[in-house]
Amino acid sequence: MAPDPGSGGTTTISSLPTELLVRLLSFLPAIDLLSARETSRRIHNVITDSSYLQYILRIEINGVDDLLPPDYSITERLRLLRQHEKSWNCLQYNKFAEDSFTEFPERRLFIIQDGYLIYKKVTLRGDATIRYGYVDLSSTSPKGELRWVHIPMQHTPFPVPLRLEFAVDYNLAVAISQPYNRATVDVTFLEFTTGAFHPLSLKPTVRIQSPLNPVPGVVGLQAEILGEYVLIAVTYEYTGCYVSLIPWKTGTTTILRELFFRQVTEWRKIPRLVAIDNDLIAVVEDNTNFVEICRLELTPPDFRMETVCFLEMPPLKPNAFLSVSLTEKEWVSTLKHHPRPDLVRRRPAPFRSSKVGNIRFSLDYHIHSDNVYRDYPYTMVLSVAELLTNIRTDRRNVPWTDWGPSRTRIFPRPKDIFPPSPAGPFWISHYSPLTKRDYDFLRARCPPSVTTKSSSSPSLSTPVFSTSKVEGEQWVEGAVETSLPYRDYIIPNLHFNSSQQVVADREWLVDISVREIAGRLTVYHAG
């Protein structure tokens, strides 16, 4: 600091006026704010006593957007944020509503986005059809009836979409299909709430023509909604994958990448694409042993998808190869602003996720020996915050030892056992009793004064900071050590013995159970 002309000495930061010190500290990231708090008693007291600094600290620690109306004071926002944080840390779930449904001959897959519980239903008998429906949990009365909106795909020009993706904050449903022949893929933009063509889309159905001749069959489709853009990956048999970008409001199509298969094996599947930041995409191709990180350039008309770096996976034996069967992450809003005002809801959520905290890969290692294939399934959880510290460098190839051990957690995945599923800032890792696992690296570092723990809270394990050694015949060294810290939270009074699926977000938890030919859906509310 510059000398004070009046005193002739040097002014330290801790001697600044409180208002100015609060202003300066407010620009620090949460991890630096926590470090600054330990530098002196004065700064510690300023950070602890300032409602504004406590507010921005907890907003970042919890990874949420503030959706409260502008007339709420900082004190009131902080009070509600602490209540929200306590509900999650103590897992105070209250039974909210129940509903029954007939499971067969239909199969339903449920997801939650922004308080909307959505199902995708496939009819298996007769002509296969797909429909979707939803219930707005935030507009439902406690103990009241769930008012479902069921939407058949009658407005669409195709009978069976191969994929359905949703962005409820844009009132958008994206349906992907092959209506006529193997040469085309149709992408249709619908209103999520009605199933009609989306009124903001100038070209409701976009046809992606195969650039290959002769045209091979399509063996895989994938879509990732990125705000006003949709990333589409079409995989063709024996050839490769083409990644296209479509601004869904204009309907123009740009081919960004050609991902050709590096090996020809029967295990070849669609490459997995998952958005990890506003402009960063992780790409995992089967039969390769790395994660490719790509940056998207979304400034029209110069759309690009450029490789930033390759994150190497654990080294393999010569006769082993890797495929990724599933990727999953917490839903994060694609809108940068508040929800649309015309979607009036009885109880709007005060907070929602602002960024991807962790990504789960379902890894399938295969060993081909003496004409016999052996499979070794694993689950890998990646910390996105820690990942970003590596992929924003100039290094082209990042060895596994430089990023993997401290930023991932690898577990064997027994067959017929469900993998962990995202639930707000946690991952559901066990159904009975319900267990949630917190991989948030920042919260794991926080002292107890930041992460609230009530004396009446359920069982809470000690944070795990030691490494875990995972044996694997497919790895050259025979074992892989990972050390991403986590904590297990257990709700002893919630036992989901017959669950088909459990889905959750930061406010709701829904148990979908199946008994004989009927199913039951139980909704719990946090708070």
Side-chain angles (χ1 to χ4, degrees), residues 462-480:
T462 303
V464 177
F465 292 95
S466 62
T467 60
S468 63
K469 191 172 184 179
V470 184
E471 299 294 335
E473 294 184 20
Q474 67 280 359
W475 292 308
V476 170
E477 60 271 31
V480 170

Side-chain angles (χ1 to χ4, degrees), residues 372-423:
V372 176
Y373 281 100
R374 289 178 293 167
D375 298 335
Y376 298 87
Y378 291 89
T379 292
M380 173 186 284
V381 178
L382 299 85
S383 168
V384 172
E386 292 298 302
L387 212 58
L388 293 176
T389 63
N390 268 279
I391 64 181
R392 296 190 184 278
T393 66
D394 295 331
R395 302 178 66 180
R396 186 70 173 181
N397 294 290
V398 183
W400 164 257
T401 53
D402 289 356
W403 75 276
S406 62
R407 293 164 178 84
T408 66
R409 200 82 185 188
I410 299 179
F411 301 92
R413 189 180 76 249
K415 291 185 177 180
D416 302 324
I417 300 297
F418 69 92
S421 57

Side-chain angles (χ1 to χ4, degrees), residues 4-149:
D4 186 345
S7 62
T10 300
T11 302
T12 63
I13 189 170
S14 60
S15 64
L16 293 173
T18 300
E19 295 78 6
L20 180 56
L21 189 55
V22 169
R23 176 69 173 168
L24 290 174
L25 292 172
S26 67
F27 291 100
L28 293 179
I31 192 65
D32 294 333
L33 198 58
L34 291 171
S35 299
R37 191 180 59 179
E38 308 303 319
T39 57
S40 72
R41 184 180 298 274
R42 168 90 196 290
I43 293 180
H44 181 278
N45 291 337
V46 168
I47 295 175
T48 303
D49 298 338
S50 169
S51 296
Y52 180 63
L53 291 180
Q54 286 297 308
Y55 167 75
I56 63 174
L57 180 63
R58 279 181 158 81
I59 280 287
E60 187 169 344
I61 287 175
N62 287 279
V64 294
D65 278 329
D66 186 342
L67 304 182
L68 294 168
D71 57 348
Y72 275 64
S73 66
I74 289 294
T75 302
E76 180 65 9
R77 292 172 189 271
L78 181 59
R79 184 189 69 80
L80 293 173
L81 185 57
R82 282 173 171 160
Q83 179 180 327
H84 172 85
E85 185 177 3
K86 183 179 179 180
S87 295
W88 272 106
N89 287 346
C90 300
L91 298 178
Q92 298 170 339
Y93 277 105
N94 304 312
K95 194 172 182 178
F96 187 82
E98 282 188 321
D99 193 15
S100 299
F101 60 90
T102 301
E103 178 65 17
F104 303 102
E106 299 162 342
R107 182 182 48 142
R108 304 187 185 199
L109 175 67
F110 291 86
I111 61 174
I112 290 184
Q113 286 193 5
D114 206 21
Y116 288 92
L117 178 63
I118 308 168
Y119 74 81
K120 294 184 282 187
K121 184 170 65 175
V122 182
T123 302
L124 301 178
R125 291 181 183 174
D127 294 333
T129 59
I130 288 184
R131 68 160 60 189
Y132 70 88
Y134 65 90
V135 59
D136 183 359
L137 298 175
S138 295
S139 294
T140 303
S141 300
K143 309 300 181 182
E145 180 183 355
L146 295 180
R147 300 185 179 276
W148 289 93
V149 178

